[in-house]
Amino acid sequence: MHVPVQAIDREIWRHSVASEGTRLIPEETPLALTYNGGTHAVMMGTPQNLEDFAVGFSLSEGIVRSVDDIRSLEIVRLDDGIELRMWLAPDQAARISERRRHIAGPTGCGICGTESIAEAVRPAAVVPPGQNFTPEQIMTAMQAIAPLQSINMQTRAVHAAAFWSPAGNIVALREDVGRHNALDKLAGALARSRTDARGGMVLLTSRVSVEMVQKTAAIGAPLMVAVSAPTALAVRTAEAAGITLIAIARQDGFEVFTRGGRIVACHATEVADVA
């Protein structure tokens, strides 16, 4: 099935008493990303916002440098999965032929199938200085995520990635059973809408691993906030990329792991060069 949510009958046991009921659960399906007729990767993901996923994956993996490098994109729904068929400009097609890889990506896999250790831990792009943020802005942004998670409100089983703008609102939010997929979908949504990410922050409902930092750096956001803890490699990568990494964000506060100079006690909208 190619709908994001399915209603499933199940048996429920509570206090040693059985009953029957129906629960909404998220769908996951194979998503094949093909370029100029060749399959580059197969990931398991939620069949929603697939144009965003195709564009975001292509950008975050360095397959294309701009959304304009994708000449055409077609979503083809098959019996056993979905193909995201893209045709690239000639120079981009030549680049991908040199670094083609075939991935069987289970749910939640971010760097499956990379051909070398160096590719897996490649340096992230260095983000521009960006602007300062107040603790109140960060807390308000994180609290705005839950009401916008339509699939998670039904299933309690998917991740979200969102982008908050200095105007004080969530510009885009994408959900997926895979946290990396959700962030790729967000990257694609921002690229397709020509949103400049340099002044806002990326928000995550998951932990922060190194590839989540790499993808945020590719988006160009100077600050990322997550509800769970980061890995040590993610912290080192964020520091090198110039990203302010905030994690363990709860209702009563958060923890800053890198580049804390962007967090200011009073409202500041001017761009500042943060060490």
Side-chain angles (χ1 to χ4, degrees):
M1 298 293 290
H2 296 152
V3 295
V5 175
Q6 296 283 339
I8 301 296
D9 294 330
R10 86 278 197 221
E11 186 178 274
I12 307 166
W13 283 85
R14 295 283 188 272
H15 306 292
S16 299
V17 177
S19 62
E20 295 183 351
T22 300
R23 172 176 287 275
L24 294 175
I25 59 176
E27 183 60 80
E28 62 177 333
T29 191
L31 306 174
L33 296 109
T34 72
Y35 300 91
N36 290 31
T39 300
H40 178 77
V42 179
M43 308 296 290
M44 299 301 295
T46 301
Q48 186 182 52
N49 302 122
L50 297 181
E51 292 85 356
D52 291 336
F53 178 56
V55 172
F57 179 92
S58 302
L59 289 167
S60 65
E61 291 295 311
I63 295 168
V64 299
R65 296 186 177 94
S66 165
V67 64
D68 297 325
D69 292 332
I70 301 175
R71 294 289 181 84
S72 67
L73 167 59
E74 182 182 8
I75 308 300
V76 181
R77 299 179 183 272
L78 309 172
D79 290 339
D80 55 355
I82 303 174
E83 286 192 6
L84 315 181
R85 296 178 182 174
M86 287 166 278
W87 291 88
L88 308 181
D91 59 330
Q92 300 301 319
R95 289 179 63 242
I96 193 173
S97 66
E98 295 175 358
R99 65 184 298 272
R100 185 178 299 273
R101 59 179 174 158
H102 296 274
I103 306 174
T107 301
C109 179
I111 53 176
C112 305
T114 51
E115 296 175 346
S116 68
I117 292 176
E119 184 181 352
V121 295
R122 68 187 186 277
V126 178
V127 303
Q131 71 173 52
N132 294 332
F133 301 87
T134 67
E136 291 76 17
Q137 287 176 319
I138 294 167
M139 298 299 296
T140 298
M142 288 301 290
Q143 291 168 6
I145 295 178
L148 301 177
Q149 288 185 258
S150 59
I151 298 178
N152 197 56
M153 284 191 289
Q154 297 177 76
T155 67
R156 303 299 179 190
V158 297
H159 296 289
F163 182 77
W164 180 92
S165 79
N169 62 301
I170 301 294
V171 173
L173 181 145
R174 295 293 183 267
E175 297 178 277
D176 199 278
V177 290
R179 56 198 172 93
H180 312 94
N181 295 347
L183 187 50
D184 278 335
K185 288 179 177 180
L186 176 66
L190 296 177
R192 296 176 70 206
S193 64
R194 311 289 177 173
T195 299
D196 186 349
R198 292 176 294 179
M201 65 181 89
V202 166
L203 314 172
L204 305 171
T205 63
S206 62
R207 68 182 177 89
V208 184
S209 51
V210 62
E211 60 272 28
M212 301 296 276
V213 175
Q214 292 168 338
K215 292 177 186 295
T216 298
I219 289 172
L223 186 146
M224 60 190 303
V225 190
V227 299
S228 297
T231 66
L233 180 56
V235 172
R236 294 193 296 270
T237 303
E239 177 65 34
I243 291 175
T244 298
L245 172 55
I246 294 175
I248 316 177
R250 301 289 189 267
Q251 292 184 347
D252 60 345
F254 51 81
E255 299 181 19
V256 183
F257 288 83
T258 62
R259 306 279 176 163
R262 285 194 181 94
I263 313 304
V264 295
C266 59
H267 185 67
T269 57
E270 70 274 10
V271 173
D273 186 4
V274 180

